[in-house]
Amino acid sequence: MDSFNGKKIILAITPDVKLYQCFKENLEQLGFQVFILSYYKKFKYNSIKDRGINILRKVFLKDKTFKKKLVVSQNNKEILDAISNTPEADFSLTIRADLFHEESINKIINLAKKNYAYQWDGLSRYPEVKKLIPLFDKFYVFDKKDLNIEHKTYLTTNFYFDCYAELFNKKEFEYDFYTLCNYDERINKIISIFEILNNKGFKLKLVLYSKPKKHLEKYPYITFIQEPISYYENLINVSKSRGLIDIIDSTIHGGLSFRIFEALGYDKKLITTNANILDYDFYNEKNIFYLDNNFETNAFDDFLKHPIEIIDSSIKSRYSFSSWIDNILNPNFI
């Protein structure tokens, strides 16, 4: 990938969990000059009228997009200011284009020779992004159901950051299974899995983004956090664990989460409820347990006892960030 040395890339990306830092470090390791466009400030309504309209639309029309449009507009001025100080580039890559105003998207596209986007949430969750798809040279999605000839979307996956190899040279671990999640409709499923593992004597860590919940305080493996940790901090926790747990909300998307690729790239056992993993070339029943209400079977016990089998490096490397960005930016990639 020496062809990336000295290339300039504009990265327009959500500020969530400071994921842009990991993108920047991996891109710079590949030789890119990186210019980040990412901004978010705590939202405040400009008027009582806007607040009232949002409430009415959300309650009576089930429309949850009005407030988001206000947020995007509010952040647009700062993004435009940042764009004015951004040089021309060889590429632009926009992550979560729905979080950027169309005016900003157009200005970014005018700065770069080639422009790509990646939506790592299902399009049905943020349908307003569909109008932006034609603006890009290629628009990538990670859920097969979002492939659409009319919109000209292209399929990719998530990935693991391969610039942090030194973080995963550990021979000793603090816990056997770890996950980080929000407090949402998945919590009962997560707790049921953790309790089975806890009763089997495994060391566990569940970081829950939530105010402390009285009915959950009895579980010693839960750590409540009220401010999100950065993605890199999450990777530090991943590095301390032998295995990961991945519980999806299938009503939102069917794509593979970052946890799955962390498990692959960093040699972790994985328990997941995502059936789509069975179709991937890295699936190995010794390393990955597809959970379909079958965690009290002999197969589950066998999975827990069996040591991890290292996946062939040629397969693992396909899902690294370095391979991912090469495929995204390669004009011959289809």
Side-chain angles (χ1 to χ4, degrees), residues 105-285:
I105 295 290
N106 280 313
K107 287 187 177 295
I108 292 168
I109 286 172
N110 287 334
L111 282 175
K113 296 174 184 176
K114 291 290 183 179
N115 298 278
Y116 304 95
Y118 178 42
Q119 195 75 6
W120 58 38
D121 273 299
L123 297 186
S124 61
R125 191 177 187 188
Y126 303 109
E128 65 272 20
V129 77
K130 292 179 182 178
K131 69 178 182 179
L132 300 175
I133 292 175
L135 300 178
F136 297 93
D137 291 295
K138 285 191 175 181
F139 190 99
Y140 290 88
V141 295
F142 83 138
D143 194 336
K144 290 180 180 178
K145 70 182 181 183
D146 287 332
L147 284 175
N148 187 301
I149 295 175
E150 177 186 354
H151 292 303
K152 296 183 179 179
T153 52
Y154 299 82
L155 190 65
T156 187
T157 66
N158 281 324
F159 46 81
Y160 65 92
F161 289 103
D162 49 320
C163 63
Y164 298 127
E166 76 288 346
L167 195 61
F168 294 93
N169 292 328
K170 295 179 182 294
K171 302 299 181 184
E172 297 181 359
F173 303 97
E174 294 184 19
Y175 18 89
D176 297 300
F177 286 97
Y178 160 75
T179 197
L180 165 69
C181 64
N182 295 322
Y183 181 83
D184 54 31
E185 64 280 347
R186 297 172 295 170
I187 190 62
N188 290 334
K189 183 79 169 181
I190 292 170
I191 292 297
S192 67
I193 296 167
F194 268 77
E195 275 300 275
I196 288 171
L197 293 171
N198 188 50
N199 291 335
K200 292 177 182 292
F202 289 98
K203 296 178 182 179
L204 310 169
K205 187 176 183 68
L206 166 56
V207 178
L208 194 58
Y209 182 34
S210 166
K211 294 180 180 179
K213 305 291 184 182
K214 195 166 185 178
H215 67 288
L216 297 178
E217 290 177 349
K218 62 183 178 181
Y219 301 113
Y221 45 76
I222 296 180
T223 299
F224 294 96
I225 59 171
Q226 295 185 52
E227 293 294 332
I229 63 174
S230 71
Y231 187 75
Y232 183 75
E233 289 173 302
N234 172 64
L235 286 184
I236 291 174
N237 286 335
V238 170
S239 74
K240 296 176 182 178
S241 183
R242 297 180 189 274
L244 305 176
I245 296 177
D246 172 62
I247 309 300
I248 68 162
D249 182 350
S250 59
T251 64
I252 295 176
H253 62 72
L256 302 191
S257 72
F258 275 101
R259 291 183 193 88
I260 288 175
F261 297 99
E262 291 162 10
L264 171 66
Y266 307 140
D267 298 324
K268 307 294 180 181
K269 300 272 274 189
L270 176 72
I271 299 171
T272 180
T273 58
N274 194 329
N276 292 310
I277 200 170
L278 302 175
D279 298 327
Y280 281 78
D281 56 356
F282 59 80
Y283 174 74
N284 179 324
E285 63 182 9

